[in-house]
Amino acid sequence: MTASIECASYQVTDSFFGEPYVDVDEWREQPHPHRHVHGGFAGCDTRFTFYFPRAEEWQGRLIQPMEGAHAGHEDFFGSALGDAMGGVGMTARLGGYMVESNMGHIGDDIDPRGGEDATLYGWRAAAESARFSRHVAAQVYGRPPHHAYVWGGSGGGRRSPLLLENAPDVFDGALPFMGGGDVAEFPATSPIRGAQVMSFACMFNVARLLRDKREPLVDATRPGGSGDPFAGLTTHEREELASLYRQGFPRGDEYMIGAPMGQIWLWSSIADQLAEQDPEYFENFWTQPGYVGHDHPEVVRDDVLDVVATVERVVTIGELTGDPGFAGPEYQLMRATAQILGAGAGPDLPFAVQLRGLPDGYRLGAGLRPVTGEAAGRRLYCTGAAGDLMVADGHADANAQRFRGVRAGDEIHVDNRRFLAFCYFHRHHLMPDPQFDSLRVNGKPVYPQHPVPLMSPLMGVSYTGHYAGKLLWIHHTHDSSLWPSQGLVYAGAVRAPERFRLQWTENAEHIPPAYLPASPGRDPGTWLVDYFPVIEQGLADLIRWVEDGEAPPATRYEYRDGQISLPASASERGGVQPVVAVEANGGVRAEVKAGDPVELVVHAEAPPAGGTIVSVEWDFDGSGTFPFRHEVTGADKAVSLTTTHIYDAPGTYFVTARVHGHRDGDVNAVHRRLPNVASARVVVQ
């Protein structure tokens, strides 16, 4: 190891932070060879990690990823999971060293000294960490970086624009993706008011109302389906599903309505805060005219839970993910969440409880409060259930503790009246955003209104659209956590449109399909894509824009009734992602007899900035294996290719073509392979 890091001569820009210190300085080979520097600032909870690749890889850039959700960790992108999502390896390919910050807080706890100051958690801790990294980089490489970039998705899509807006002395460009929030005048200092709080409420309500009807809903909206998601629904069910669509939930992603992950985490993290900010709503819902709980109790009565149950068993992450007894499909969503969390929390975290004495009622979202034992008084909320097995999460210390201290025989109060009231929260807390226009007539709300709640200060402050650098915003057409309507908020706030570009990634969810639960007979990879190659290409384009003046291409789109539609032609659509269409026997639906050949055709076109088509492969049965690949040369911007397949067994199959484009037309490229998918339905009699 070279000389140790000198810290004493560094002068903080933000006086909140004390003197910086380094407590780890060592060479690490994994996940990519780098000099690993960890430390923090005295007198506060801010921690950082710097990852310096070899000098021959560094091209003079600082690249800082923003963690999602509430953040609180300075080592996520240095983990194996984080590296797969764009960590040290990608940073090195882009010629940078990587900076991580815990955003001024440890886990879900606030800094005791910083208190509720949302500017600290939104951008100030990250900015000071980046400033100090320049001081360290000058010692490691002999000079500080010449340009700096910040990027991130979800909660990181909230924070990365804040760094560009508020730390112009550090950052030259930002790439937020899947962001969302409200807009205020610069400089913003208050916690955000997030539309997704109300949006998720509506989604949870549709999931609750349609839990026995979700399969027909999903089938109707898949390729070759009826196209009518309202068939067979009651009037109230139709109203709530229509409201969900009008608020922006993406058509074609209906399977995710019944598979909440980050959405239900958000409820568990802010439920207590919502009740503290607006206790009147949670009382009025059950007692006052104008609220469903009072006016139409029949639509919630059978779902109510308010009982003290006994713990039969406490289940750890390791047990849930490794015990064959939890291998059934009813546990799939729980296991997927546990696998993601287990990468950081470890296998021994008590993650779920099996309860005895729990009557019929709606489990998801219910409050779980131990009333006896070591954990008595802790407030948790159910984020997943299978029978009487319930996974839960909570705010602050409850998020870290989960079911630690809970033992078999302890009693837990299960009460979901707060969650059932939350299911109609969207009616009574309208923001000015267009996505809520369907709940107004002539600008007046249809239902009694309450103040829109503030989100946790850990989510940071409002956007302002006031920045001096360049910003490339990437949003997804099939994101069930930050809906397409949220992708338009920042575009409307930008003060200098020439420094802003918006790109859409078609068929992308909030997390890549490898981390999502499969639906019966169809792997997520047959209708969704891994979007991280698009993000890496976007970062490369952002760098070119900032340093060479070559602006990245925007995506053309139309927004109507809460939904985004994209042109069918790649040349008209723009962006970087290829456009794909699939036909089975000439249409999006083919009905054949077992043993008959089915002619399959794929049409694929790369946009002007998307290079050429470098791979075309087929999955015939929904397994996600893609066993057949066409031979392509990488020389063509558009291809139309045909194959045949014979189905021997009766059933319904979604045959899918997955296509990759590449800017350089390199068929052997490993990175920046830009994906898209399209499917047709084959019904075999």
Side-chain angles (χ1 to χ4, degrees):
M1 179 62 66
T2 55
S4 61
I5 301 300
E6 183 275 320
C7 301
S9 65
Y10 177 78
Q11 297 294 316
V12 296
T13 299
D14 188 327
S15 61
F16 173 82
F17 302 96
E19 183 179 342
Y21 62 86
V22 169
D23 53 16
V24 176
D25 182 4
E26 62 189 20
W27 185 260
R28 294 187 180 180
E29 293 293 329
Q30 300 297 330
H32 180 90
H34 68 280
R35 184 172 176 178
H36 189 92
V37 176
H38 177 276
F41 294 94
C44 64
D45 283 348
T46 298
R47 307 287 185 268
F48 53 74
T49 306
F50 307 149
Y51 307 78
F52 297 105
R54 293 187 176 95
E56 57 267 27
E57 294 182 283
W58 190 57
Q59 298 172 26
R61 301 182 182 103
L62 181 168
I63 297 177
Q64 185 163 357
M66 294 282 105
E67 185 184 3
H70 282 165
H73 311 88
E74 70 275 17
D75 54 3
F76 173 76
F77 285 94
S79 68
L81 177 62
D83 196 61
M85 295 183 176
V88 194
M90 184 187 77
T91 300
R93 291 193 296 274
L94 293 168
Y97 70 82
M98 189 171 79
V99 175
E100 278 198 87
S101 164
N102 70 347
M103 302 307 297
H105 61 99
I106 298 171
D108 240 18
D109 289 328
I110 64 171
D111 183 323
R113 180 164 161 250
E116 300 284 325
D117 188 343
T119 64
L120 172 64
Y121 314 119
W123 62 271
R124 286 168 52 210
E128 198 63 42
S129 297
R131 292 185 186 107
F132 180 60
S133 82
R134 298 170 62 89
H135 177 82
V136 177
Q139 299 175 56
V140 173
Y141 294 125
R143 67 188 192 280
H146 54 71
H147 286 89
Y149 304 90
V150 59
W151 66 278
S154 190
R158 281 249 4 98
R159 300 180 193 94
S160 48
L162 301 183
L163 269 295
L164 190 64
E165 292 178 357
N166 294 284
D169 60 314
V170 181
F171 293 100
D172 304 285
L175 190 154
F177 62 102
M178 311 180 307
D182 66 344
V183 176
E185 289 296 318
F186 182 85
T189 58
S190 298
I192 70 167
R193 301 178 188 273
Q196 53 265 49
V197 176
M198 284 64 78
S199 300
F200 290 171
C202 188
M203 186 182 109
F204 295 150
N205 202 31
V206 170
R208 178 185 69 89
L209 292 169
L210 303 187
R211 56 188 180 273
D212 298 325
K213 302 177 181 180
R214 284 203 300 264
E215 187 173 336
L217 165 66
V218 171
D219 186 74
T221 55
R222 282 178 166 170
S226 69
D228 181 8
F230 299 99
L233 304 186
T234 67
T235 297
H236 185 62
E237 292 165 350
R238 290 169 185 259
E239 290 170 345
E240 286 301 285
L241 179 59
S243 183
L244 183 72
Y245 284 138
R246 288 170 180 152
Q247 289 177 56
F249 186 89
R251 289 290 301 270
D253 204 28
E254 285 79 1
Y255 174 69
M256 296 305 297
I257 293 174
M261 299 180 76
Q263 304 98 327
I264 196 64
W265 162 81
L266 184 64
W267 159 250
S268 72
S269 72
I270 64 171
D272 292 335
Q273 182 179 337
L274 294 179
E276 291 168 3
Q277 289 187 37
D278 194 359
E280 186 178 87
Y281 169 75
F282 291 95
E283 174 67 22
N284 287 1
F285 178 81
W286 300 98
T287 61
Q288 299 297 317
Y291 300 81
V292 164
H294 175 273
D295 297 345
H296 296 284
E298 70 279 2
V299 302
V300 292
R301 183 188 300 122
D302 292 343
D303 284 337
V304 171
L305 283 172
D306 189 355
V307 65
V308 175
T310 303
V311 176
E312 280 195 344
R313 178 187 177 187
V314 179
V315 179
T316 66
I317 284 180
E319 290 169 331
L320 187 59
T321 57
D323 187 336
F326 298 117
E330 68 271 28
Y331 302 107
Q332 187 178 48
L333 187 59
M334 288 182 177
R335 287 164 59 91
T337 305
Q339 286 167 348
I340 294 172
L341 181 65
D348 298 328
L349 178 68
F351 191 62
V353 288
Q354 186 89 38
L355 298 178
R356 182 175 69 249
L358 199 60
D360 290 341
Y362 198 67
R363 270 67 166 152
L364 189 70
L368 301 177
R369 184 172 60 85
V371 294
T372 65
E374 182 183 330
R378 186 178 302 157
R379 290 183 177 273
L380 296 163
Y381 292 86
C382 177
T383 56
D388 293 338
L389 182 73
M390 304 176 78
V391 171
D393 200 350
H395 178 59
D397 188 60
N399 167 261
Q401 296 297 321
R402 306 294 175 105
F403 291 107
R404 284 195 175 100
V406 175
R407 304 285 184 268
D410 288 352
E411 293 184 328
I412 292 182
H413 183 205
V414 182
D415 180 2
N416 70 350
R417 293 174 66 86
R418 183 178 290 178
F419 181 76
L420 293 176
F422 179 68
C423 284
Y424 293 89
F425 204 76
H426 56 286
R427 295 186 174 194
H428 303 277
H429 298 81
L430 302 189
M431 297 178 68
D433 301 2
Q435 75 177 78
F436 295 103
D437 285 349
S438 63
L439 294 165
R440 288 183 277 258
V441 175
N442 291 331
K444 301 296 184 182
V446 175
Y447 302 102
Q449 289 301 293
H450 293 254
V452 174
L454 296 172
M455 295 185 71
S456 166
L458 301 182
M459 277 292 189
V461 297
S462 303
Y463 298 133
T464 69
H466 181 283
Y467 62 88
K470 305 289 177 60
L471 192 146
L472 171 60
W473 185 290
I474 298 179
H475 214 81
H476 301 165
T477 64
H478 286 67
D479 191 331
S480 61
S481 292
L482 279 160
W483 303 350
S485 51
Q486 286 289 295
L488 304 179
V489 173
Y490 200 88
V494 171
R495 309 292 182 89
E498 69 277 7
R499 296 199 295 269
F500 176 83
R501 293 293 185 275
L502 171 61
Q503 290 180 355
W504 292 95
T505 304
E506 189 177 31
N507 299 317
E509 241 290 352
H510 201 68
I511 59 177
Y515 302 101
L516 292 171
S519 65
R522 196 172 186 200
D523 184 87
T526 63
W527 81 86
L528 297 168
V529 301
D530 178 1
Y531 53 79
F532 276 104
V534 177
I535 302 304
E536 182 169 349
Q537 184 63 60
L539 284 167
D541 288 348
L542 176 66
I543 290 169
R544 185 179 296 109
W545 190 14
V546 169
E547 298 179 17
D548 300 329
E550 183 179 337
T555 307
R556 298 180 184 89
Y557 64 93
E558 182 180 354
Y559 178 69
R560 186 174 62 232
D561 291 334
Q563 301 294 306
I564 292 291
S565 61
L566 304 177
S569 163
S571 56
E572 184 182 357
R573 182 181 300 186
V576 299
Q577 189 184 24
V579 175
V580 187
V582 164
E583 297 173 357
N585 284 353
V588 74
R589 179 186 179 111
E591 299 193 12
V592 300
K593 294 180 180 179
D596 288 349
V598 181
E599 183 182 69
L600 305 173
V601 180
V602 55
H603 306 281
E605 179 188 6
T612 60
I613 304 300
V614 296
S615 75
V616 180
E617 49 197 351
W618 289 95
D619 177 276
F620 301 113
D621 58 6
S623 64
T625 56
F626 294 92
F628 178 77
R629 173 175 292 192
H630 289 281
E631 292 294 329
V632 295
T633 65
D636 299 313
K637 292 196 73 67
V639 297
S640 292
L641 300 168
T642 302
T643 189
T644 59
H645 189 75
I646 294 174
Y647 293 91
D648 295 323
T652 297
Y653 302 89
F654 290 95
V655 57
T656 302
R658 182 168 64 191
V659 173
H660 289 91
H662 192 270
R663 176 71 56 80
D664 302 325
D666 183 358
V667 296
N668 298 313
V670 176
H671 304 291
R672 303 185 204 171
R673 296 173 65 88
L674 307 170
N676 207 345
V677 293
S679 301
R681 181 186 304 231
V682 178
V683 181
V684 181
Q685 306 293 340

